[in-house]
Amino acid sequence: MDLAGRQDSVMAASDDIDPMAAEDALPEDALAGTKAPERTCIVTRQIRAKERMIRFVAAPDGTIVPDLKGDLPGRGLWVTAERGILDEAIRRHAFTKVTKGKAKADAGLTDRVAGLLERQFLDQLGLAKKSGQLVAGFDKVEAALRAGQVKFLLEASDGTADGRGKLARLAGPGVEIWAPLPSEALAPALGRQHAVHVAVKPGGMANRLSITLRRLAGFAGAGIAQSGQKL
């Protein structure tokens, strides 16, 4: 069964939601405006903000399913959004232990999560463009930076150091700078042939993108290194 089918199976089992995990099953946006919710990592046992973690649920067939949107029913199994920690969860059979033998994570789960995070990021990037919350191209990005209208600056990881350096110097202390993916990956999401310099304006879409980028950074390592404002 593919991932979409497994997610449908989880949704079909909504009557089996643990009442003690009701808040856990709410979408992230449903908790907006409240104190940042926290969860405990099933591997490290450390308490972290939900936005720094990945939620998983167990499908009826015992498969562990990543729930990036946080809206699948069932008890949430939370893991810190880092490749090494999820690898450890799989190696130590943490999902099996916490579900008392009812579920098991397959060996390819870490790579699947990394791919889903990249897809989520690109989808959100496309939505930001459609909603007018994004500008692309050196001149437009430069103008947005000078006007103080940038939440974070996205640079293609294969962009030239000269162009990236010029824009980075214009970024104020509150502007985050990310180099998540090469131009060939960014461009299709923006409907362009090339995409090297991208600026996202402040707002709800920028906040969602920022959460996704932080999670993706935990799985992509140095390839998505952030500079500028410290986390």
Side-chain angles (χ1 to χ4, degrees):
M1 184 183 296
D2 60 18
L3 178 60
R6 288 169 181 163
Q7 289 178 324
D8 288 343
S9 295
V10 174
M11 292 298 291
S14 58
D15 291 339
D16 295 329
I17 297 176
D18 181 351
M20 296 300 293
E23 182 185 69
D24 216 20
L26 289 174
E28 290 181 13
D29 289 347
L31 297 174
T34 63
K35 182 179 179 180
E38 299 177 329
R39 293 293 182 267
T40 302
C41 175
I42 65 171
V43 182
T44 67
R45 308 309 300 172
Q46 292 181 330
I47 298 174
R48 294 179 178 270
K50 285 173 61 176
E51 65 184 35
R52 301 302 180 90
M53 306 180 78
I54 303 291
R55 184 178 190 264
F56 297 85
V57 294
D61 65 358
T63 302
I64 292 297
V65 179
D67 180 23
L68 301 186
K69 293 183 179 180
D71 59 1
L72 291 179
R75 178 191 177 192
L77 309 172
W78 295 84
V79 177
T80 302
E82 294 180 18
R83 175 179 287 273
I85 293 178
L86 182 53
D87 282 340
E88 186 177 354
I90 297 169
R91 183 171 59 254
R92 290 170 50 186
H93 306 290
F95 291 104
T96 301
K97 292 176 182 177
V98 79
T99 61
K100 298 181 179 179
K102 296 179 180 178
K104 180 181 179 180
D106 64 79
L109 182 61
T110 303
D111 288 337
R112 188 158 71 253
V113 169
L116 288 171
L117 284 169
E118 182 176 320
R119 183 69 263 164
Q120 184 182 54
F121 165 69
L122 292 172
D123 288 345
Q124 290 175 339
L125 205 61
L127 289 174
K129 179 179 184 297
K130 290 179 181 178
S131 63
Q133 298 301 302
L134 174 154
V135 294
F138 187 92
D139 292 340
K140 290 183 178 180
V141 171
E142 180 183 21
L145 285 168
R146 292 186 182 280
Q149 298 176 344
V150 177
K151 168 67 175 179
F152 58 84
L153 175 65
L154 297 173
E155 298 283 7
S157 58
D158 55 351
T160 64
D162 181 54
R164 292 170 58 178
K166 288 180 179 178
L167 292 178
R169 287 190 289 273
L170 289 175
V175 178
E176 300 172 11
I177 305 173
W178 295 88
L181 297 168
S183 177
E184 64 178 7
L186 295 174
L190 301 175
R192 299 168 62 94
Q193 290 186 328
H194 303 284
V196 178
H197 311 290
V198 179
V200 181
K201 301 176 183 179
M205 182 56 70
N207 293 337
R208 288 190 287 275
L209 272 164
S210 192
I211 291 172
T212 303
L213 277 167
R214 283 165 168 75
R215 289 171 171 168
L216 181 58
F219 285 83
I224 191 175
Q226 184 221 17
S227 59
Q229 186 78 1
K230 294 292 183 182
L231 295 179

